[in-house]
Amino acid sequence: MASRLIWLTVRIAATIALVVVTFGYAITGNHTDVLLGTGFAVAVGVGVGLRGGSGNHPWSGILIGSVVGVVTAFLSGAMDVGWGVILPPLLPLAVGLIAGLGRSSLSGYRDVIRETFILAVLLSLGFIPALAAGDFDLVPLLAIFPLLAMPWTALLIGLLSRRREGWVDARPPWLLVLGAVALPILLGLLFGFGVIREDDGFSGAIATVWIVLTIILSILVIPAVAFLLGRAAAVWLRPRLEVYGQLAAYLRVMWVPIGGFAVGYLTIIFLFAGFYGALERLGPGSFAGAGAGITDWLSFAFFTALGHDFTALTPVSLSARVLVGAHLILSAGWALVLFAAVMSSIGPKLDRIARHLADDGRD
């Protein structure tokens, strides 16, 4: 049991890291931004994916964690905004995705508090890799911000969800309300102690208005929009993702034939790469732009098998053109013949899977 959980954790974390790291470096060269997004993504994704044990669906965690990490990398890297815009949407966005995908039933403030608290802890843990890099100012405050924002976020999500079908609570708990009030008070104190200074171009009444607008934007508008967008996107995706769950049964049957097709296709590519190289050796000038390396012939054979031109090499002589034509015919014939053979072989199995899925749908 423990080994399965460890293996599941590694798979979820590795998949999320692959998505977020590549996307992060595609939009920014800042290592800290990428590390921050990856830390959030892995913490949230693994936490969600492991909920319910090893029998849970890890793809939910991978999807939610990847979205959180990509949003973080986009805001911190591409948009280059401040912490007041980066951090507020992450917690409600994750809760909205979980609610929309049906990973947890949010039927009252108790459920919202539970989910929000768990995700706040996960986001705080997600700071660990970036904090280890030591590139942040106000490190302690940033690391505990998800936990400080948890009561306010839970209250806001509850107010946005109370009109949905199945909601049971009429009023939020008083302790939740009191905890939520602490966040705007804390932000007001932070602004008052110099986060916005006169040399920033604000003073007097203008500074006060700017502080109020900034607080409203950070703790009300941005989280509300993030939750609603996350929930709406997940609700739209949910039935479409179920299609991939049905495809898994078909892919298990198709896996061996697909592998057999790939082996045969690659064998044809390797054989003709040798034919092309040998033809150029025996008849120099058969190909324009021919080099001396096998990689050129492998690349040419690969693109020829796909029916695309490989601009670095061009068949010139009649024998080279005939060989290319034979390669194209053999590649197309291999695909058609193997497809027919595979379908006749696994057709009954696919029919049984279709009937089984239809019976499950009726139930």
Side-chain angles (χ1 to χ4, degrees), residues 333-357:
W334 173 256
L336 292 174
V337 171
L338 187 66
F339 178 78
V342 167
M343 291 307 298
S344 63
S345 173
I346 67 173
K349 296 180 182 179
L350 297 180
D351 291 338
R352 285 196 297 270
I353 293 173
R355 288 193 297 268
H356 178 71
L357 292 175

Side-chain angles (χ1 to χ4, degrees), residues 1 15 21 52 60 77 161 172 176 190 221 229 243 268 301 319:
M1 181 66 177
T15 305
V21 169
S60 298
S161 305
L176 179 63
L190 289 175
V221 178
L229 286 178
V243 174
I268 294 173
S319 56

Side-chain angles (χ1 to χ4, degrees), residues 30 48 60 68 71 96 117 157 168 173 183 201 229 235 269 272 329 344 352:
N30 190 314
V48 173
S60 298
V68 170
V71 169
F117 175 75
I157 292 174
V168 296
L183 181 62
L229 286 178
V235 168
I269 290 173
F272 273 88
I329 294 173
S344 63
R352 285 196 297 270

